[in-house]
Amino acid sequence: MSYFLNPKNLSSVFTVPCSVSDKYLKLATETQLKVLICFLRNISSDIDTKGISELLSLPESEVLDALGYWASVGILMNPEQTSAGNDKSQKTAVVRAEKPNRTDVAKRGLEDKKIMFMLREAQLKFGRNLKSNESATLVWLYDDMGMDVSVILMAIQYAFSESKGNIRFIEKTAIDWLNSGIENVVDAENEIAKAIQKKSAWGIVQSVFGIDKRQPSTKELEFSDVWVNEWGFSRELLRAAYDTCVDSKTKLSMPYINKILEQWHKDKVTSVDELKEKQTSKKSGKSANSSVTYDIDLFEEMLNSD
């Protein structure tokens, strides 16, 4: 039996994004689809969550959760996302409280062979049966967040390689990847390579500066990555910058060292010998026209100008 749309209904229509039917009919729950349709139907009337709740006879908390889901996959946007940068192409994932229960996980494993494969591989990596929250999180990443099984398994592998084989780190890594636009194995491999490079750069800086073994801050990782991987400074030049900083400020200051190295990078200093030569040349007045300056006062001025 074939069906067609009754032309009488075309007199009153509203827009539904194609991606909803193309991608999320399988992933979204019945409640999430109902809330979205209700929202889109009443979008011109500025309907609020209470209004949707009354129309659908649903608790307002479920309406909020459903709208949060559609915001997390990029179908909807909230004021916070709009003011954060107006990047409408980037999907922002959030950690929601609602995840599948044990029964739902078992059902989905029977329905989808990819899920069954993912859970088996994860179990082998953990070396034991998965706990309820572990299997629920992995299925949630696949079903709700639309993450590919191969990428989820890479997140698990990366967590164990960092000696952080727990579901909280795996979930955080996966969410960070989603927010960075990582959707396939190649992207994930590149992201892992970048993380390893940053960690290696921090190890060099930590050793040169004599910093105790600890987890670096985000800013420290960024500084180290730029100094070692982007600007290519050697251990000797890093030490020279450290000595300059400590001699002036009597303490370690990463922003201060960054200003020193930034200037050396602009002046194309590539070795300690070259640095000494340019410093000597400056002092002797032979490079009066040179832009190479290493005055402590200048670094103080540059640092305070930020």
Side-chain angles (χ1 to χ4, degrees):
M1 181 183 296
S2 59
Y3 292 88
F4 60 91
L5 182 64
N6 188 335
K8 294 180 180 179
N9 294 314
L10 294 176
S11 60
S12 179
V13 298
F14 62 94
T15 302
V16 177
C18 291
S19 57
V20 173
S21 61
D22 294 344
K23 185 174 181 180
Y24 297 107
L25 281 181
K26 173 186 173 183
L27 300 177
T29 65
E30 179 181 347
T31 296
Q32 289 164 349
L33 289 169
K34 284 183 177 180
V35 168
L36 179 64
I37 291 173
C38 186
F39 174 86
L40 295 175
R41 169 64 180 85
N42 297 280
I43 195 169
S44 61
S45 61
D46 294 325
I47 192 169
D48 58 13
T49 54
K50 184 177 180 181
I52 297 176
S53 173
E54 292 173 351
L55 283 172
L56 298 178
S57 299
L58 288 171
E60 192 170 357
S61 60
E62 291 189 20
V63 173
L64 285 167
D65 187 69
L67 292 174
Y69 168 76
W70 292 115
S72 74
V73 297
I75 298 299
L76 301 181
M77 293 188 71
N78 57 41
E80 292 181 359
Q81 288 173 300
T82 304
S83 61
N86 293 322
D87 184 2
K88 298 182 180 180
S89 64
Q90 183 173 351
K91 179 172 66 176
T92 302
V94 296
V95 178
R96 300 187 299 115
E98 181 185 346
K99 292 178 182 177
N101 57 36
R102 184 186 294 272
T103 302
D104 293 333
V105 169
K107 180 181 177 182
R108 292 294 293 123
L110 294 174
E111 293 173 343
D112 194 323
K113 292 182 179 179
K114 289 183 178 180
I115 291 180
M116 181 62 72
F117 171 75
M118 173 182 67
L119 295 177
R120 286 175 178 171
E121 289 297 308
Q123 187 168 293
L124 288 174
K125 193 62 189 176
F126 276 86
R128 56 171 171 77
N129 292 330
L130 296 179
K131 298 176 182 178
S132 295
N133 68 312
E134 293 169 342
S135 57
T137 296
L138 297 180
V139 173
W140 171 76
L141 286 171
Y142 175 76
D143 272 349
D144 286 17
M145 303 313 300
M147 199 170 200
D148 190 81
V149 164
S150 60
V151 179
I152 296 173
L153 292 177
M154 285 198 70
I156 296 173
Q157 177 65 37
Y158 173 66
F160 276 92
S161 70
E162 291 291 301
S163 301
K164 296 179 180 178
N166 62 79
I167 197 62
R168 291 183 63 183
F169 183 82
I170 292 168
E171 181 177 0
K172 182 182 182 302
T173 298
I175 295 300
D176 287 345
W177 286 1
L178 284 170
N179 289 338
S180 299
I182 294 171
E183 298 180 349
N184 55 57
V185 171
V186 174
D187 290 342
E189 288 176 341
N190 290 336
E191 188 69 13
I192 291 173
K194 289 178 184 178
I196 292 173
Q197 282 186 330
K198 286 184 178 181
K199 186 176 180 181
S200 176
W202 167 248
I204 292 172
V205 169
Q206 189 177 45
S207 172
V208 171
F209 293 177
I211 300 173
D212 293 336
K213 294 290 184 180
R214 60 172 174 79
Q215 287 296 320
S217 68
T218 301
K219 198 65 179 177
E220 287 174 330
L221 275 177
E222 290 175 357
F223 280 146
S224 301
D225 185 41
V226 171
W227 299 342
V228 177
N229 296 324
E230 185 176 336
W231 293 345
F233 281 116
S234 65
R235 287 175 174 267
E236 291 75 18
L237 281 172
L238 290 173
R239 182 67 194 189
Y242 171 84
D243 289 342
T244 301
C245 171
V246 174
D247 289 345
S248 172
K249 301 186 72 68
T250 69
K251 65 179 181 179
L252 172 64
S253 170
M254 299 291 271
Y256 193 84
I257 290 175
N258 186 62
K259 286 297 185 182
I260 295 173
L261 292 174
E262 183 178 26
Q263 186 64 41
W264 292 357
H265 175 66
K266 289 179 181 178
D267 295 334
K268 299 181 180 179
V269 175
T270 60
S271 68
V272 171
D273 289 340
E274 186 177 346
L275 175 63
K276 291 178 179 178
E277 180 182 340
K278 290 183 177 181
Q279 287 174 327
T280 302
S281 179
K282 177 182 179 298
K283 289 179 181 179
S284 63
K286 293 181 180 179
S287 298
N289 297 323
S290 174
S291 64
V292 180
T293 56
Y294 306 103
D295 295 332
I296 296 301
D297 292 340
L298 173 62
F299 292 127
E300 290 283 3
E301 182 181 344
M302 289 164 50
L303 190 62
N304 294 331
S305 67
D306 288 346

